[in-house]
Amino acid sequence: KGCEDAKAVVESLKSKGVSAVGAADKYRDSGMVVSKLAKYESSIGAALILHPGPITVDEINEAKVPTAILAAEHDHIFPPDQAKQLGDALSAKSEIESFVKIFPGVQHGWTVRYNVEDELAVKAAEESHSDMLNWFIK
């Protein structure tokens, strides 16, 4: 349902003259919506998954647009091994660009829920935001 709703928003933006749309998740499990949007070349131009949920290799194999995954080292929902598996699957898809990065010392949700007094947490969040912007610019 989230994917269908997002596709409608993207179509509306494009009908108003927006020429390029990228999708990124910011909330728990919305990475699944972004991974589903990545199956539709006509929908978005690039995908970035920051807080992956239970995304499978089969689902990521359906990606048709450049897809990046930024993951946390300490994540019980999406462990680093799973990020590496999806990264390997994306790397095998020579027809699209991909990027996978695991951020050390952080937990699931680190890009939006972090202690602003924790220098490591702030640095990781800022780095992930920079990586996201650079991915979409590229």
Side-chain angles (χ1 to χ4, degrees):
K1 174 90 171 92
C3 180
E4 292 305 315
D5 290 347
K7 282 174 48 180
V9 170
V10 170
E11 288 172 22
S12 176
L13 290 169
K14 287 184 174 183
S15 75
K16 295 182 181 352
V18 173
S19 61
V21 177
D25 70 288
K26 263 190 116 167
Y27 302 103
R28 183 177 169 171
D29 295 338
S30 58
M32 292 184 303
V33 172
V34 173
S35 71
K36 290 180 187 335
L37 281 173
K39 298 188 317 187
Y40 305 102
E41 288 175 282
S42 62
S43 183
I44 60 172
L48 186 113
I49 302 166
L50 293 147
H51 304 111
I55 301 168
T56 67
V57 169
D58 288 340
E59 289 170 321
I60 211 71
N61 277 334
E62 295 183 32
K64 291 184 175 51
V65 301
T67 302
I69 298 173
L70 305 181
E73 176 184 27
H74 305 292
D75 192 334
H76 66 282
I77 296 169
F78 189 80
D81 289 346
Q82 190 173 357
K84 289 175 186 170
Q85 280 183 320
L86 296 186
D88 291 344
L90 285 168
S91 292
K93 296 175 68 68
S94 60
E95 68 276 14
I96 64 168
E97 272 193 71
S98 63
F99 173 64
V100 175
K101 183 174 180 179
I102 299 171
F103 284 77
V106 298
Q107 298 179 9
H108 187 89
W110 89 101
T111 67
V112 292
R113 293 186 317 247
Y114 58 90
N115 179 351
V116 296
E117 295 178 16
D118 179 340
E119 286 184 41
L120 174 68
V122 170
K123 182 178 183 271
E126 288 175 350
E127 186 177 334
S128 71
H129 297 156
S130 178
D131 288 347
M132 177 176 62
L133 290 173
N134 290 332
W135 178 251
F136 287 132
I137 289 167
K138 183 178 179 182

